[in-house]
Amino acid sequence: MLVRLTVSPIGVLDVDVLILPLPETGGAPPQVDALAPVVREWLADLYATGEFKGKLHETAVLHRPEGLKARRLMVTGTGKPDKPGEPELRQACGAAVRAAKKFSAQSAAVCLFEAAPSSVTAAAEGVLLGHWEGDVYRSKNDRKAIDTLYIAVPNGDPALARAVERGCILAESQNFTRSLVNEPPNHLTPTVLAERARAMASENGLECEVLDQARMKQIGMNSLLAVAQGSAEPPVLIVLRYQPQSASADHLGLVGKGVTFDTGGISIKPADNMDKMKYDMGGAATMIGAMRAIAQLKPAVAVTAFIPSVENMPGSRAQRPGDIVKTLSGKTVEVLNTDAEGRLILNDAITYAKRLGCTHLVDAATLTGAIVVALGHIYAGVFTNNEAFGDKLLAAARRQGEKLWPMPLDDDYRDLLKSHFADIANIGGRWGGAITAALFLKEFAEETPWIHLDIAGTVSYDEGKPYASRGASGICVRTLADLALNW
Ligand code: BES
Ligand code: ZN
Ligand code: ZN
């Protein structure tokens, strides 16, 4: 779907559906002077009867609206506040596009009477995120895509054109991530993930290097390799580099968990819902998508992504509970549960990122079931060893309307990771599992300012949303790009 800005008056827009975001007023309809009297009466009736209240995600459609060239007028609710915030506008636009796809609209326009650049960006993001579908493997697909969507604004301020472009880059990068995350695990192996990252890098002017098993062995990434050894699929460490023309002294490292399928290994998972473990490379895809956005939006800070990718399988070569591995950092880890594999691949990537000069680190990982118990499927957990850095990321998340919640990381929990035979154990017992997992990673980040995002609960929408297809959510891509842009 192509998203284009237009300053044409809404009456002349020749589209299948003209989308009008409207607030919840609690009774009287909002005044829309640009509409013909008879259309305004239709609106008044909708609000009066409560058929349309302006609630978020609510839509209503009028056919052949008088005074408009559009075949239909669709109102979409933005919820309570009179002037919608960006998160509401983003979702309202997404919900409208999904409703329009149900009647196979091929062209559409979103009408913004008050167009601040930030609302234009949010609208562009909303329509693109709403338009995306996760069903590319279905052979019969009768749903038509929208070819072109116009964002109609009252003036031709060049800042608005840049705002649309920014929204498109961010949302398309998020959709890129969603498409990767959704791939089935037989198609998306670590090798294929590396190929996809390489293709993205060459399209966007990023440097890409893929370390293979032999190279990783030479370097000493034994912890990462131990997870991979149970699978016939070879592991990779993907490195993507963005170097701006004039950069600050800082160097941001993005580390993403790329387990293309997590059976649990010898500590095997129960069969129920094991299919969801194809999403266990969600952190990796998040960082690859964020790098795509960063390559196009060109922030003034150097950013390098480190993506360790493996398949976690049981088998005669698989690692065993009780194994002790020597990590790249030199620290030894006792593997008490092979299903706590994310931290085993991440620690080596974190150490490597530091060795390559990263001054700040963010990792994203579908790391623990415990974060789902703590925060459900709405908020992702944020852990950090540096509050000021964490606050920067939380501010970026607020700007992007993404729900991230700070979690504790006190050393009081550290005893739970004690090992009798090695420097640290890879599990910390039943309680506070998301925190002990984060504390494990902190041992390897050491003094480097570092943030860990546990996205296990938010990586996908199992049932879909009014504004988003079922499947991968792409959460954190926009927040990470925003963090780099506002460095
Ligand atoms: N990939 C899982 C975490 C996960 C769980 C992601 C549910 C998405 C939904 C991770 O590798 C894992 O299995 N973690 C274990 C750790 C435990 C053995 C300490 C868990 O959370 O049960
Ligand atoms: Zn696991
Ligand atoms: Zn996992």
Side-chain angles (χ1 to χ4, degrees), residues 110-166:
V110 173
C111 180
L112 298 180
F113 292 116
E114 273 177 65
S118 57
S119 9
V120 171
T121 300
E125 289 166 0
V127 296
L128 281 163
L129 296 172
H131 190 259
W132 181 87
E133 296 292 340
D135 59 358
V136 289
Y137 285 93
R138 255 197 240 284
S139 34
K140 258 208 207 124
N141 191 341
D142 45 6
R143 208 177 11 224
K144 285 205 188 74
I146 298 175
D147 297 326
T148 311
L149 185 142
Y150 299 92
I151 297 184
V153 294
N155 64 69
D157 181 350
L160 297 183
R162 287 197 299 274
V164 171
E165 198 195 346
R166 178 189 158 99

Side-chain angles (χ1 to χ4, degrees), residues 389-407:
F389 187 31
D391 287 346
K392 263 193 180 182
L393 184 106
L394 289 168
R398 271 193 298 277
R399 283 193 293 275
Q400 293 302 325
E402 295 196 310
K403 292 192 194 290
L404 301 187
W405 198 258
M407 296 286 291

Side-chain angles (χ1 to χ4, degrees), residues 213 221-233 235 257-266 280 309-314 317-320 323 325 335 337-348 426:
Q213 189 166 11
M221 298 180 171
N222 302 315
S223 180
L224 189 164
L225 294 173
V227 178
Q229 75 192 31
S231 170
E233 293 296 337
K257 173 177 172 182
V259 177
T260 60
F261 194 74
D262 182 11
T263 63
I266 296 298
D280 214 22
S309 182
V310 301
E311 189 182 49
N312 188 21
M313 294 293 250
R317 293 197 182 275
Q319 66 174 338
R320 297 138 291 248
D323 282 5
V325 293
V335 180
N337 189 316
T338 64
D339 196 11
E341 84 297 342
R343 60 199 83 177
L344 295 177
I345 67 169
L346 289 168
N347 79 68
D348 276 347
N426 81 326

Side-chain angles (χ1 to χ4, degrees), residues 135-206:
D135 59 358
V136 289
Y137 285 93
R138 255 197 240 284
S139 34
K140 258 208 207 124
N141 191 341
D142 45 6
R143 208 177 11 224
K144 285 205 188 74
I146 298 175
D147 297 326
T148 311
L149 185 142
Y150 299 92
I151 297 184
V153 294
N155 64 69
D157 181 350
L160 297 183
R162 287 197 299 274
V164 171
E165 198 195 346
R166 178 189 158 99
C168 289
I169 290 171
L170 288 168
E172 278 162 5
S173 297
Q174 185 171 346
N175 286 343
F176 174 82
T177 290
R178 294 165 86 187
S179 299
L180 276 180
V181 175
N182 254 33
E183 285 287 352
N186 59 332
H187 287 248
L188 195 98
T189 60
T191 307
V192 173
L193 184 66
E195 280 166 14
R196 301 277 288 258
R198 206 188 274 287
M200 185 284 287
S202 76
E203 277 165 30
N204 291 281
L206 295 172

Side-chain angles (χ1 to χ4, degrees), residues 469-487:
S469 156
R470 177 192 300 251
S473 67
I475 190 178
C476 290
V477 170
R478 299 202 317 274
T479 293
L480 289 165
D482 186 306
L483 177 72
L485 283 165
N486 290 289
W487 193 252

